[in-house]
Amino acid sequence: MTQTKIPSISCAFDSGNIVVQSVSPTPTGTFRAELAIRKDKDSDFFQWFHFRVAAQPGDDLELVITGLKESAYPGGWPGYRACVSEDRDFWERTDTSYDADAGTLTIHYQMTGGVAWFAYFAPYSIERHHDLVAEIASRAGVRHRELGLSIEGQPIDCLEMGEGPVQVWLYARQHPGESMAEWWMEGALEKLTDPADPHARLLRSKCTLHIVPNMNPDGSARGHLRTNAAGVNLNREWHEPSADRSPEVLCVRNAMDATGVHWAMDVHGDEAIPHVFIAGFDGIPSWTEDQGTRYERYRDLLASRTPDFQTKQGYPRAPAGRANLSMSTNQLAERFGASHGCVAMTLEMPFKDNDDLPDPDQGWSPERSKLLAHDCLAVLAEMVAG
């Protein structure tokens, strides 16, 4: 008699996050696992998951993630499909359904090989981050700076290039579970260091670019959605960062103070909205018509350049004088508005598919994130060329 081999589920690796409650066969031959997502350390945020399943080729899996009524963004689950990969290179979407009444997400998958990885979005590992830093830092014209250390002692890397007077800051993964942001960064860095790329040549001639690919390496390694190792949401620390709570923000903001900021982009992912969009700095106390006009021109040019970006869906605008200055985009536009006419923006990409141009196989993906970075930089080149 052949004994049924129960699949093994684990997450003891970089950015892993899942709690296994039970795994058992069903009468129909499917293996059903009941799972839960671990909260960010010292925080109530949870939404990011990343785990692997070792099973037999041909096994049918029913992976049920429970307790999602209390997740950070319950509105992110309807219409969402989980990411899966058997080679950790190509990530596709698999059949997924959400029961709002029960608060459960059910992922269905049939194994092809013996092991598969599942994630909220295609992960961007700390190891890949170091590979990216090493590769880009070795290229001609690139300067590397370590701006500081995270709470747990990981470096906050900054890659710099160009000699022009326009100071541009690009930074990502304040919220570590938004891994599409570092895929965007990979695309941006590849474009900016391509000696044949005309947009990159123009940007390097007119700008000094400062790129921070990952502002929250501790949260990234821990499998957090939104916080650092102290349970702090870094994008609510920009008004008053501290060495104890948010050294990651403190070291980046100090470096910005030293250079000044003309253009800034904070790269993120949005759990609920199935579109790509940007948010600006409406409502800052010192808002000027010039800042607002240049922000709107950038937004509209990007919409005309790529069908992956749109301007109709996004966040509500803050009323005059009511901007939250603890958020980086608002803080930078206010902090460097008078001195540098700073235009700051938050770029949001979806965890779901992009409803403006759906891809049934991959949904929003690392590949599309990287290509979007190319378009964002091409528009920036057009803006600074004038």
Side-chain angles (χ1 to χ4, degrees), residues 319-386:
R322 299 290 297 276
N324 183 349
L325 296 181
S326 70
M327 299 171 68
S328 68
T329 291
N330 293 330
Q331 176 65 215
L332 296 180
E334 176 70 17
R335 194 178 192 87
F336 299 104
S339 60
H340 292 75
C342 177
V343 174
M345 63 195 84
T346 303
L347 175 69
E348 297 282 358
M349 294 171 280
F351 278 89
K352 302 176 184 179
D353 202 349
N354 181 354
D355 281 2
D356 296 301
L357 203 61
D359 179 349
D361 295 325
Q362 285 189 281
W364 191 254
S365 65
E367 293 82 0
R368 291 173 81 178
S369 301
K370 292 175 68 171
L371 289 171
L372 177 65
H374 292 194
D375 287 320
C376 290
L377 290 169
V379 172
L380 181 61
E382 184 172 346
M383 293 292 295
V384 302

Side-chain angles (χ1 to χ4, degrees), residues 136-249:
I136 299 300
S138 69
R139 295 185 180 180
V142 177
R143 306 173 294 278
H144 173 268
R145 279 204 295 161
E146 184 179 290
L147 301 183
L149 299 175
S150 69
I151 285 177
E152 296 186 315
Q154 295 197 69
I156 307 301
D157 293 303
C158 182
L159 296 155
E160 299 181 337
M161 61 203 73
E163 306 291 345
V166 179
Q167 301 294 325
V168 176
W169 280 84
L170 310 173
Y171 52 104
R173 290 192 88 178
Q174 292 199 77
H175 299 151
E178 297 165 14
S179 54
M180 64 284 287
E182 197 157 3
W183 289 109
W184 186 98
M185 280 291 178
E186 183 174 298
L189 288 164
E190 288 174 350
K191 181 178 177 70
L192 286 168
T193 56
D194 181 352
D197 189 288
H199 303 118
R201 293 203 310 273
L202 188 150
L203 285 168
R204 293 194 306 268
S205 69
K206 292 187 172 291
C207 305
T208 300
L209 298 116
H210 315 265
I211 298 105
V212 183
N214 189 334
M215 280 194 60
N216 195 341
D218 295 348
S220 301
R222 286 174 166 273
H224 284 190
L225 172 72
R226 203 161 172 84
T227 69
N228 67 0
V232 171
N233 178 351
L234 295 183
N235 203 28
R236 298 297 184 274
E237 291 287 303
W238 284 76
H239 61 308
E240 196 174 0
S242 71
D244 293 334
R245 285 173 48 88
S246 49
E248 303 90 347
V249 173

